Each structure stands twice: as structure tokens, then as C-alpha cells.
Amino acid sequence: KPAIGKKPLDPDGWAPSVYAGLTEMIARVGNTSPDYDPSCKPYAVFDFDNTTIIGDIEHALFNYKIEKLKYRTVPDEMFSLLTSSLPSADFLLDMGGGRKVPVRALVNDIVSDYRFLFGKPLGEVEGTLEYLDFRAKLKAMYYALVRTISYENTALWLKRLQTEGMTVEEFKALVRESTAYSLTKGGNAPKTWTSPVMGEAGYVTVTTEYGLGISKNMKDLYAKLEAKGIVPYICTASIEENVTAVACDGSLGIKGPEGRIFGVKLVKDASGRFTDEYDPEWVLTAGAGKTETILKRIAPLHGGKGPVLVG
């Protein structure tokens, strides 16, 4: 078990009122309390993106795949990859600033760029007009979808692009690669990508969050909760395997079994590859779905009790 030291938490870096609340809670319900019941341990539930970590792990993977051209889809199937999760390919996207662009126009540009880039070494194409156009327009399409259609459809579109029919182990390996790269870039720093004036959709510029980080405070909090007999869980709107890939191997400085992570579940096909369908047996762990997941999936593991801490 991690060393506890004289203080239940390292105070450096916490706002004083937050530190006081956390240490009081740990003392009151942890395993040094006379009321502690090891057969029904107290528990805490944390979001992952922009809570446990600094930044968003799915956005980091999205950026990484775009920048490093880590797509496996062949050019003739790219149009389908970009549109099959949408209501249609024939509606207007809100690009911001009052500008509207047809989905089909933007996707045609992305596919045309991808056809040029596909199969070529990154060093050979990085900096070409097609690369700059592909990078800016694919990222801009995500933000335009956020402004235009439902969260569920937008999130499924992104998750389809992330997984591309990979097996779970293939996907986890890519997540670990992306996360290691993103941790070297600092947490959540903005970056602007701009396209040339080309294609059907013309000029596009997009500013995206970039990089990942994790604070010493969160690593300390997870370790001290474990040591004090308070079970930490993660409830995330990211794909569950996206988070288990890096939150269960110690690479982030936190470590817990996969059974403590509850995220979005996608149906796998008979060969174990991701599909673009939400698992109908699971609640979508976003918004109110996180509360429902705590009540239905986590609380029953702890005598029906609610969490002592939610982050």
C-alpha cells in the first residue's frame, strides 16, 4: 500500500477549504474511523476527462490520429466512416460565426485529402496543402457537429472514428501510444489548425484543446483513498476501454482494476471488433446517465449506499 505519512493528504496545491473538506471526510469515513465497516466500504466516484486528468483522453486520441495519420480505413470507405453515424449527409453544419457548410462538401474535401495522404510516410506529406486541409477540416467537423446535432450522435460519430473496427487490444495499444505522446505536450493547451483555401468547403480554422496531464494532487488523492479503505471509481463519457487502457496500468500514476471503471460501451462483433452501436444493455454514461450508473451499477456493490465523494 502507498505510504500515508502523518497527513491524510499532501496539502500542497489544494485550496485550503477543499483540503479541509477532504481530510475531514477521510478521517470520518476511512478505515481509522470506529464506524468503518470493511464488508461495506465507502466509495468515491470521479469523472475522468478534465477531472482525474487535465484534458480529454478522447480528444487527445482524435488529435493524435489526425496528426500522425493513424487511420486504417481505405479511401473508398472514408466517406462512409464520416457519415454513417449521422442523420444524413445532406444537412448544413454550423461552422460558427454564422457560417453554414453542407456536410457533403466538408466530407468530400476530407476524403479527397485522405486519398492523397493514404499510404504515404508522414514525413513525406506533413506540411502539404492536403495534410493541412485534412487536419483542420476533420477537427472542425467535430465541433460543427457539436453545434448542429445531438450529443449522442456526435459522440457516436467520434467513437466510430476512434475505433475503426479495431479489436479491444488494438484499440488499447493505440490509446496508450496516444496518451504517452499527449502527456509530453502539457495539459489542455489550445492549438489552432488552419486549412488552405481549397476544396468545396473552402477555408477552415479551428482551435482545439491539446495535450494531457495529471496533477500530483489527483495521484495523491487516489492513493490515499485506497490506503484509507475508500474505494475510488471512475465514471466517464469516454469509451470504457479508452480509460481502462491507461488508468489500470499505472502509467498515469493511478491504478485500479478494470471493474472500477464505468464508461461508454460499444457493441463488439463476433470477432471482437468494435461496432458503431451503443450497447443497449448499458446506460450512456454522460450527463444524467452518470448518476444512473452510480445508482444502478456501483451503489449495489456497497450495500445500496451513495458515494462519500463525487468529483
Side-chain angles (χ1 to χ4, degrees):
K1 290 184 177 181
I4 308 257
K6 295 181 180 178
K7 296 179 179 177
L9 280 177
D10 179 355
D12 182 47
W14 290 108
S17 61
V18 178
Y19 178 77
L22 289 172
T23 53
E24 184 280 329
M25 180 274 295
I26 291 171
R28 177 168 43 84
V29 304
N31 54 18
T32 57
S33 166
D35 298 323
Y36 184 79
D37 181 0
S39 68
C40 186
K41 294 180 179 179
Y43 66 98
V45 184
F46 297 97
D47 185 23
F48 191 68
D49 300 309
N50 293 302
T51 302
T52 298
I53 61 170
I54 301 162
D56 185 299
I57 196 167
E58 283 198 331
H59 287 200
L61 177 59
F62 190 28
N63 292 339
Y64 183 74
K65 289 189 71 171
I66 291 171
E67 276 199 312
K68 303 300 182 183
L69 300 178
K70 289 287 185 176
Y71 289 94
R72 317 173 347 152
T73 302
V74 297
D76 286 347
E77 295 176 1
M78 182 55 94
F79 188 93
S80 174
L81 178 69
L82 291 169
T83 59
S84 62
S85 300
L86 304 180
S88 79
D90 295 299
F91 62 93
L92 292 177
L93 287 170
D94 181 356
M95 303 298 289
R99 186 183 178 208
K100 307 280 187 178
V101 170
V103 172
R104 191 174 295 275
L106 192 61
V107 171
N108 283 345
D109 288 356
I110 295 167
V111 172
S112 176
D113 296 330
Y114 186 69
R115 199 174 295 280
F116 171 84
L117 299 167
F118 185 75
K120 296 184 175 73
L122 179 63
E124 183 180 312
V125 297
E126 201 171 19
T128 62
L129 296 179
E130 289 83 0
Y131 176 86
L132 298 175
D133 199 57
F134 175 81
R135 186 177 67 174
K137 286 179 176 173
L138 185 48
K139 188 68 185 194
M141 185 174 176
Y142 168 75
Y143 288 118
L145 288 170
V146 168
R147 288 187 288 265
T148 307
I149 64 174
S150 70
Y151 169 82
E152 288 80 4
N153 275 345
T154 301
L156 189 57
W157 178 89
L158 179 60
K159 287 165 173 54
R160 177 169 166 74
L161 262 67
Q162 306 294 59
T163 57
E164 287 189 283
M166 297 180 204
T167 65
V168 169
E169 288 311 311
E170 288 172 335
F171 179 64
K172 283 184 172 182
L174 183 61
V175 170
R176 292 187 184 107
E177 184 182 314
S178 161
T179 301
Y181 173 80
S182 300
L183 285 169
T184 69
K185 301 302 177 183
N188 211 17
K191 200 165 194 176
T192 298
W193 291 343
T194 300
S195 78
V197 180
M198 62 186 288
E200 297 177 37
Y203 171 81
V204 165
T205 184
V206 60
T207 298
T208 179
E209 59 186 75
Y210 196 83
L212 295 174
I214 184 166
S215 71
K216 65 174 185 176
N217 300 89
M218 288 307 296
K219 290 187 277 189
D220 185 47
L221 179 58
Y222 268 78
K224 296 299 172 55
L225 290 174
E226 288 271 17
K228 286 294 188 178
I230 302 168
V231 182
Y233 290 89
I234 290 171
C235 189
T236 174
S238 289
I239 297 170
E240 188 169 294
E241 291 86 352
N242 207 337
V243 176
T244 59
V246 294
C248 300
D249 67 352
S251 60
L252 288 176
I254 61 173
K255 188 174 182 179
E258 292 193 8
R260 292 189 195 166
I261 296 176
F262 294 81
V264 172
K265 288 185 179 288
L266 298 178
V267 174
K268 282 78 170 182
D269 65 18
S271 61
R273 297 182 180 276
F274 286 94
T275 71
D276 60 349
E277 297 178 27
Y278 291 124
D279 188 331
E281 301 299 316
W282 288 80
V283 173
L284 183 62
T285 45
K290 292 184 177 181
T291 304
E292 189 174 348
T293 297
I294 292 171
L295 294 172
K296 289 186 175 180
R297 300 282 183 178
I298 303 178
L301 303 174
H302 296 267
K305 295 178 181 179
V308 296
L309 172 66
V310 171

